[in-house]
């Protein structure tokens, strides 16, 4: 591939020099009549090459993310690997190819090499997934984890990236005899950039969702082969003679010419990393978000290169360089300042645009343009200026590209795991802007003035009250804790009611004191379904409440795995929700990737619980992949069970079907449970095991031997078998019927990552409506869950399920109608009807009892009538009669 686009893909834009002395035309130069057609052909090659190049970057990032553990880690690793390989390829191999008499054939060979290695990565990628857990053991030091994250992509991608680095010098040698003016170069460059933008968007929005990663990779390889054949045909007969070697003397200032290219490569990628980190706090961070940001970056650098070509003819080169350095640094400062209000701009865009998926994506594109276009236009112009000057002086663009991409390769290492955690985003932008002083061409007056302006701007940004920390604060709320990490910004917020909650990247709530009842039930329900668990594993910890609840089970040794280290640091701020953490020696916390943890060698578990992952967030879809479920199955002990919690408020029904279908493919004997009776945040558990599970009617009573555990379960409304098995939704047959035939979510075909963002951008229905749809599709039977139970127990359980479903349907209708006008008059009669259906259904009985207590203060007669009706509906309970006894007489 002609790697003009690789530079623009992540930092700056460059055009090959029309006058570079890398090659001169021989007597075989094409006749003038055929030159336009050949230029058009080369433009097409450049466009296709750009398409493939950006397709590779996106695909390799996704392929490596499932092994390295997080999307941002994979992004940093792949970017560093791409630029390091390109830098190496641009040096000696690139120079030798550029000096060859047949650069077109070399170029064709390089395209073939890229395509072949891309195809080889299809079978190699799963093997890498098996290798990473061996290279990075559980609880490995962070420095070692980052070393592997950067070194592994570099080695894995090196054959392709070396060839990529050598293509630009080869293409320059092919173009030089044909292009007599800069306009033709501009057209070829535009075609390459257009192809890169098309590759970014088509790969993400069309190809990956439709055919998956391997097929998309094969398509990109095919494009490489097409480019090779086309170049062989249109340029293979051209022979060029190497230019005379460039004399390097003391006046050539070779290091001084190349050092600014290194600096701009480093800072250009640094700006991209910082900006993506900041906007991740306000955007949805789906699979489509990064593609939109990258497309905006590409367009900006291309525009900058075009602008530079227009103004270069009228300015002194050094003066122009000083001007462009100043403009770039100030644009970065201005970009940081604008980012401080990007949440307000995003809100305005969303209010203006239609509330559809397209409208929400357009709003994200607006933020991408705001964040990237001004700085990247300046970067594109500056890089083109520096590369042109270096090419003219040192001979060819290969050396300039190598130095520039070397700086770009170091940026992910410097800005990702080091600078952001150390100083934060705002000071990071200030340091970055000040770094452009090192790109000034000399110490003359224009450069000194530029240095002063840049320094003043950087200091002003650092000292300003602007904040790049976005934390949604409720009215009267308080920020208790905030930390900017490599992977996420983590906050703990307290609202006016005194409730605390954990917030990740500003808009993802990961639990809190108000949700501790649900959080604790998410541990107890799967643990109660196992007869005697000795070891348990919890993947994804949030506030730590769920894994802490596991400590209530005597003799249970528990491992908890959390990816984001800053989340673990917040555990002491939730002592009420997670009282066992730090006190119970049987609970062990690991900061690690869930996928890597379960694939690593280690002990087997009786119960594994996977927490609520936000399905739409880029990278989370891999946690619902068949490969991950299979790895979890391999870590289960004999008779073990796996519980995958699903947030129905963040899933549409179609995506839920894909997840259920994938789960059943790995766990053919499965069931589903509710966490609790919520219509606003309904949670579903998929329970998988190696064999069908049924339970005796007295399971709960014999399972709970510890009175302390029984008391804690009772406080969570888990007091008997009816309250546990009343949560049962369906068995294998019903789940299989609901899921239907269709696609599975796999590492190679990440359909959840592609489909789940629809609900994040524009949900077509409410969570309650989705819950009602699910309940209508599932028809549980008592014999699926109870074994050896009599007819009475089966009838009671079936009646409980009917009352439960009607209760939830009533809640959905009430919520959709804006709430009842008169709670007691409107709701109480319907609840009493549910009590008649199922005397065991506490969720209907107890609220009516509470209404009667409230009513007795103002209207004892009405309260008496309500209690008498309730007692007649369920005469087996005494609470209504006891309250009647203490009411004053009429």
């Amino acid at each position: 591939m002609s790697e003009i686009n690789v530079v623009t893909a992540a930092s700056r834009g460059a055009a090959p020099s029309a006058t570079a002395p890398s090659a001169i035309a021989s007597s075989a130069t094409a006749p003038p009549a055929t030159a336009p057609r050949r230029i058009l052909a080369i433009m097409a090659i450049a466009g296709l090459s750009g398409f493939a190049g950006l397709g590779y970057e996106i695909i390799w990032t996704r392929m490596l993310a499932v092994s390295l553990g997080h999307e941002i880690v994979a992004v940093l690793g792949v970017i560093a690997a791409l630029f390091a390989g390109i830098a190496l390829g641009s040096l000696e191999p690139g120079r030798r190819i550029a000096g060859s008499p047949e650069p077109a054939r070399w170029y064709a060979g390089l395209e073939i090499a890229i395509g072949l290695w891309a195809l080889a990565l299809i079978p190699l990628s799963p093997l890498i997934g098996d290798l990473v857990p061996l290279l990075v053991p559980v609880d490995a030091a962070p420095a070692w984890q980052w070393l592997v994250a950067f070194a592994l992509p570099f080695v894995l991608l090196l054959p392709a990236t070396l060839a990529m680095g050598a293509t630009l010098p080869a293409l320059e040698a092919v173009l030089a005899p044909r292009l007599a003016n800069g306009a033709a170069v501009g057209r070829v460059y535009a075609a390459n950039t257009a192809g890169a933008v098309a590759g970014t968007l088509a790969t993400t929005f069309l190809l990956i969702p439709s055919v998956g990663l391997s097929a998309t990779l094969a398509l990109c390889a095919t494009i490489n082969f097409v480019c090779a054949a086309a170049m062989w045909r249109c340029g293979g007969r051209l022979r060029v003679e190497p230019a005379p070697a460039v004399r390097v003397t003391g006046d050539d200032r070779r290091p001084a010419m190349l050092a600014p290219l290194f600096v701009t490569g480093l800072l250009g990628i640094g700006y991209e990393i910082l900006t993506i980190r900041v906007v991740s706090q306000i955007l949805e961070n789906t699979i489509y978000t990064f593609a939109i940001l990258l497309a905006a970056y590409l367009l900006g650098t291309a525009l900058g290169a075009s602008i530079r070509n227009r103004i270069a003819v009228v300015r002194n080169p050094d003066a122009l360089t000083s001007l462009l350095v100043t403009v770039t640094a100030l644009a970065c400062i201005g970009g940081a300042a604008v980012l401080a209000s990007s949440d307000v701009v995003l809100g305005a865009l969303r209010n203006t645009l239609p509330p559809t998926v397209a409208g929400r994506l357009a709003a994200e594109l607006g933020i991408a343009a705001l964040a990237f276009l001004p700085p990247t236009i300046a970067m594109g112009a500056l890089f083109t200026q520096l590369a042109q000057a270096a090419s003219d002086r040192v001979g060819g663009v290969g050396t300039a590209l190598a130095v520039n991409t070397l700086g770009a390769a170091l940026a992910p290492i410097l800005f990702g795991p080091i600078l952001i955690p150390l100083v934060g985003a705002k000071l990071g932008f200030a340091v970055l802007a000040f770094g452009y002083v090192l790109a000034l061409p000399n110490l003359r007056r224009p450069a000194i003035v530029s240095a002063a302006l840049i320094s003043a701007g950087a200091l002003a940004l650092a000292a300003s009250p602007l904040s790049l920390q976005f934390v949604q604060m409720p009215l009267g709320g308080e920020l208790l804790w905030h930390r900017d990490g490599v992977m996420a910004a983590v906050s703990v917020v307290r609202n006016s009611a005194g409730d605390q909650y954990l917030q990740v990247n500003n808009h993802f709530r990961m639990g809190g004191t108000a949700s501790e009842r649900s959080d604790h039930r998410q541990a107890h329900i799967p643990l109660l379904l196992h007869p005697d668990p000795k070891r348990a594993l919890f993947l994804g910890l949030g506030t730590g409440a769920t894994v802490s609840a596991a400590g209530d089970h005597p003799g249970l040794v528990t491992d908890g795995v959390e990816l984001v280290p800053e989340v673990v640091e917040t555990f002491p701020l939730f002592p009420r929700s997670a009282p066992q953490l730090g006190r119970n020696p049987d609970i062990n916390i690991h900061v690690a990737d869930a996928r890597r943890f379960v694939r690593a060698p280690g002990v087997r578990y009786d119960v594994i619980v996977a927490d609520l992952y936000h399905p739409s967030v880029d990278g989370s879809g891999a946690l619902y992949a068949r490969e991950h479920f299979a790895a979890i199955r391999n870590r289960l002990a004999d008779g073990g069970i796996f519980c995958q919690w699903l947030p129905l408020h963040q899933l549409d029904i179609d995506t839920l079907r894909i997840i259920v279908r994938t789960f059943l493919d790995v766990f053919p004997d499965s069931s589903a449970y509710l966490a609790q009776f919520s219509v606003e945040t309904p949670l579903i558990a998929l329970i998988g095991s190696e064999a069908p599970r049924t339970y005796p009617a007295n399971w709960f009573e014999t399972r709970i031997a510890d009175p302390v555990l029984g008391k804690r379960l009772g406080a969570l409304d888990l007091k008997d078998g009816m309250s546990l098995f009343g949560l049962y939704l369906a068995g294998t047959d019903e789940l299989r019927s609901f899921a239907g035939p269709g696609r599975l979510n796999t590492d190679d075909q990440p359909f959840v990552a592609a489909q789940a963002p629809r609900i994040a951008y524009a949900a077509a229905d409410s969570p309650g409506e989705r819950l009602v749809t699910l309940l209508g599709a599932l028809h549980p039977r008592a014999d699926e869950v109870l074994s050896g139970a009599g007819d009475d127990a089966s009838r009671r359980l079936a009646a409980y399920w009917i009352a439960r479903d009607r209760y939830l349907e009533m809640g959905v209708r009430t919520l959709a109608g804006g709430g009842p006008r008169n709670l007691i008059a409107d709701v109480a009669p319907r609840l009493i009807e549910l009590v008649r259906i199922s005397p065991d259904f506490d969720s209907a009985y107890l609220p009516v009892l509470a209404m009667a207590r409230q009513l007795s203060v103002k209207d004892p007669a009405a309260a008496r009538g309500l209690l008498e009706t309730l007692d007649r509906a369920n005469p087996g309970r005494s609470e209504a009669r006891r309250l009647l006894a203490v009411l004053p007489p009429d």
Side-chain angles (χ1 to χ4, degrees):
M1 56 184 287
S2 59
E3 288 312 311
I4 304 172
N5 64 283
V6 173
V7 180
T8 61
S11 69
R12 305 111 342 244
S17 168
T19 59
S22 60
I24 59 175
S26 73
S27 59
T29 302
T34 63
R37 289 199 300 271
R38 291 187 183 276
I39 290 174
L40 288 174
I42 293 174
M43 288 172 61
I45 293 171
L48 289 172
S49 184
F51 187 104
L54 267 296
Y56 284 137
E57 181 177 343
I58 290 170
I59 297 165
W60 289 339
T61 297
R62 311 227 158 270
M63 293 176 71
L64 287 168
V66 299
S67 301
L68 297 178
H70 193 278
E71 199 67 18
I72 190 61
V73 175
V75 168
L76 296 176
V78 169
I79 289 176
L82 276 172
F83 285 118
I86 290 168
L88 293 175
S90 299
L91 287 172
E92 188 61 26
R95 283 200 298 267
R96 288 184 177 273
I97 292 170
S100 165
E102 296 181 315
R105 293 188 175 181
W106 274 106
Y107 179 88
L110 293 169
E111 291 279 5
I112 292 172
I114 295 167
L116 289 176
W117 188 250
L119 293 176
L121 288 176
I122 295 176
L124 283 176
S125 182
L127 301 179
I128 296 302
D130 296 331
L131 176 64
V132 170
L134 301 177
L135 293 176
V136 187
V138 174
D139 299 324
W144 177 251
Q145 295 186 46
W146 279 108
L147 178 62
V148 173
F150 286 113
L152 183 64
F154 172 76
V155 174
L156 183 65
L157 304 180
L158 186 60
T161 56
L162 277 174
M164 291 176 179
T167 54
L168 182 55
L171 181 61
E172 184 189 24
V174 173
L175 289 173
R178 290 176 167 80
L179 303 179
N181 56 70
V185 174
R187 290 199 300 270
V188 173
Y189 176 76
N192 185 261
T193 304
V197 174
T200 301
L201 299 178
T203 298
T204 305
F205 285 86
L206 179 61
L207 295 175
I208 292 177
S210 300
V211 300
L213 299 180
S214 293
T216 306
L217 200 63
L219 175 62
C220 291
T222 302
I223 292 174
N224 288 131
F225 300 148
V226 170
C227 290
M231 181 61 76
W232 187 281
R233 180 176 176 82
C234 73
R237 288 173 297 180
L238 175 72
R239 296 181 62 85
V240 298
E241 295 178 2
V246 177
R247 292 183 59 199
V248 180
T249 67
D251 295 333
D252 281 319
R253 300 185 297 143
R254 186 184 181 99
M257 294 296 299
L258 297 177
L261 284 160
F262 176 86
V263 171
T264 54
L266 176 72
L267 301 180
I269 292 295
Y271 184 86
E272 180 188 19
I273 292 169
L274 289 173
T275 301
I276 289 176
R277 185 65 189 79
V278 170
V279 298
S280 69
Q281 299 174 80
I282 63 169
L283 302 182
E284 293 295 340
N285 299 323
T286 69
I287 187 176
Y288 306 113
T289 301
F290 178 70
I292 289 172
L293 293 170
L294 186 55
Y297 203 111
L298 285 163
L299 289 174
T301 53
L303 288 172
S306 176
I307 291 171
R308 179 266 169 195
N309 288 335
R310 291 179 179 274
I311 64 177
V313 295
V314 296
R315 288 191 174 272
N316 174 272
D318 283 353
L320 179 58
T321 299
S322 295
L323 175 63
L324 291 175
V325 167
T326 307
V327 170
T328 302
L330 295 181
C332 291
I333 294 169
V338 171
L339 283 172
S341 58
S342 56
D343 56 337
V344 177
V345 177
L346 181 63
L349 289 172
R350 286 176 172 172
N351 291 333
T352 302
L353 296 167
T356 61
V357 173
R360 294 295 185 252
L361 288 171
E364 290 201 343
L365 180 59
I367 294 299
L370 181 73
F372 278 128
L373 281 185
T376 55
I377 288 173
M379 290 177 191
L382 175 59
F383 173 75
T384 306
Q385 170 69 12
L386 294 174
Q388 181 71 67
S391 177
D392 291 341
R393 180 166 291 275
V394 304
V397 76
T399 303
L401 176 65
V403 173
N404 184 258
T405 50
L406 179 61
L410 294 177
I413 302 171
L414 176 62
F415 285 87
I418 298 176
L419 197 63
I420 291 176
L422 190 63
V423 302
K426 187 177 79 169
L427 288 181
F429 277 114
V431 170
L432 181 147
F434 183 76
Y436 274 101
V437 171
L438 301 176
L440 291 168
N442 50 51
L443 296 178
R444 296 171 186 162
R445 183 174 179 181
I448 293 174
V449 172
S450 295
L453 288 173
I454 293 170
S455 301
L459 289 173
L461 175 62
S464 73
L466 295 175
S467 175
L468 296 179
Q469 295 178 353
F470 297 99
V471 182
Q472 291 184 9
M473 296 293 296
L475 186 64
E478 176 186 5
L479 179 62
L480 300 181
W481 190 90
H482 182 89
R483 184 70 53 83
D484 283 317
V486 179
M487 291 175 276
V490 179
S491 308
V492 177
V493 177
R494 177 185 292 148
N495 63 22
S496 58
D499 295 320
Q500 295 177 196
Y501 55 86
L502 176 66
Q503 197 163 270
V504 175
N505 276 342
N506 186 38
H507 52 301
F508 299 115
R509 289 197 180 185
M510 311 297 285
T513 55
S515 65
E516 66 180 55
R517 179 179 183 275
S518 174
D519 295 339
H520 290 171
R521 287 169 66 95
Q522 290 170 49
H524 292 303
I525 291 169
L527 289 171
L528 291 174
L529 295 176
H530 191 283
D532 186 25
K534 298 300 183 183
R535 293 200 71 106
L537 172 65
F538 287 78
L539 304 174
L541 303 183
T543 62
T546 302
V547 69
S548 175
D552 294 337
H553 293 251
L556 180 67
V557 178
T558 303
D559 289 314
V561 179
E562 172 56 45
L563 175 64
V564 181
E566 291 76 18
V567 167
V568 175
E569 293 179 37
T570 68
F571 288 168
L573 298 174
F574 296 94
R576 191 184 79 186
S577 301
Q580 300 273 5
L581 299 187
R583 301 177 183 176
N584 189 332
D586 289 332
I587 298 178
N588 308 295
I589 304 300
H590 308 273
V591 177
D593 167 56
R595 287 192 50 133
R596 194 171 69 235
F597 188 95
V598 297
R599 296 184 74 166
V603 299
R604 295 181 178 269
Y605 297 93
D606 300 305
V607 177
I608 298 178
V609 180
D611 200 2
L612 299 166
Y613 310 124
H614 293 269
S616 64
V617 176
D618 201 2
S620 293
L623 297 171
Y624 300 109
R626 188 195 185 283
E627 292 83 353
H628 181 51
F629 290 157
I632 288 175
R633 180 191 58 198
N634 294 335
R635 290 298 295 271
L636 287 174
D638 292 340
I641 65 173
F642 169 49
C643 171
Q644 174 66 70
W645 287 104
L646 301 174
L648 198 55
H649 52 292
Q650 296 167 345
L651 283 169
D652 60 17
I653 293 298
D654 288 342
T655 307
L656 177 63
R657 284 193 171 97
I658 293 175
I659 294 174
V660 172
R661 192 182 305 128
T662 305
F663 192 89
L664 287 168
D665 190 68
V666 178
F667 296 98
D669 295 300
S670 299
S671 57
Y673 285 75
L674 281 170
Q676 59 182 358
F677 304 144
S678 169
V679 297
E680 294 184 279
T681 56
L683 310 179
I684 310 298
L686 295 178
I687 306 293
S689 58
E690 61 184 13
R693 282 185 175 272
T694 55
Y695 304 87
N698 65 343
W699 170 266
F700 191 93
E701 290 72 21
T702 57
R703 169 71 175 78
I704 306 303
D706 182 69
V708 176
L709 174 60
K711 182 179 179 180
R712 290 177 177 168
L713 291 173
L716 298 172
D717 296 327
L718 289 170
K719 61 180 183 179
D720 54 24
M722 195 63 67
S723 61
L724 174 62
F725 298 120
L727 301 170
Y728 180 82
L729 287 174
T732 300
D733 293 340
E734 286 292 304
L735 289 174
R736 200 173 299 281
S737 176
F738 165 75
R743 305 177 298 184
L744 302 181
N745 185 57
T746 66
D747 288 345
D748 188 59
Q749 296 186 317
F751 296 124
V752 170
Q755 191 162 298
R758 295 183 306 184
I759 199 170
Y761 288 122
D765 52 5
S766 70
E769 290 170 334
R770 292 191 287 275
L771 177 60
V772 169
T773 299
L774 180 64
L775 294 175
L778 302 177
H779 308 91
R781 301 193 318 269
D783 62 335
E784 294 173 333
V785 65
L786 295 181
S787 60
D791 292 342
D792 180 64
S794 296
R795 282 195 299 268
R796 286 175 59 197
L797 184 57
Y800 189 100
W801 290 335
I802 293 172
R804 175 199 70 190
D805 291 357
R806 294 186 181 180
Y807 173 81
L808 292 169
E809 291 168 4
M810 183 179 71
V812 172
R813 290 194 301 269
T814 301
L815 190 64
R821 296 180 180 178
N822 186 319
L823 180 64
I824 296 176
D826 294 344
V827 175
R830 288 183 282 174
L831 291 175
I832 291 175
E833 180 59 31
L834 297 182
V835 174
R836 292 192 182 98
I837 294 172
S838 173
D840 299 298
F841 193 61
D842 285 355
S843 295
Y845 187 93
L846 296 178
V848 176
L849 204 65
M851 293 177 193
R853 287 195 185 95
Q854 182 181 8
L855 190 59
S856 66
V857 177
K858 296 182 179 180
D859 193 346
R864 180 176 295 278
L866 187 61
L867 288 169
E868 290 172 347
T869 306
L870 179 63
D871 187 52
R872 288 193 297 271
N874 185 2
R877 298 187 65 154
S878 61
E879 292 98 319
R881 290 193 295 275
R882 289 201 303 267
L883 187 54
L884 276 169
V886 299
L887 285 178
D890 293 340

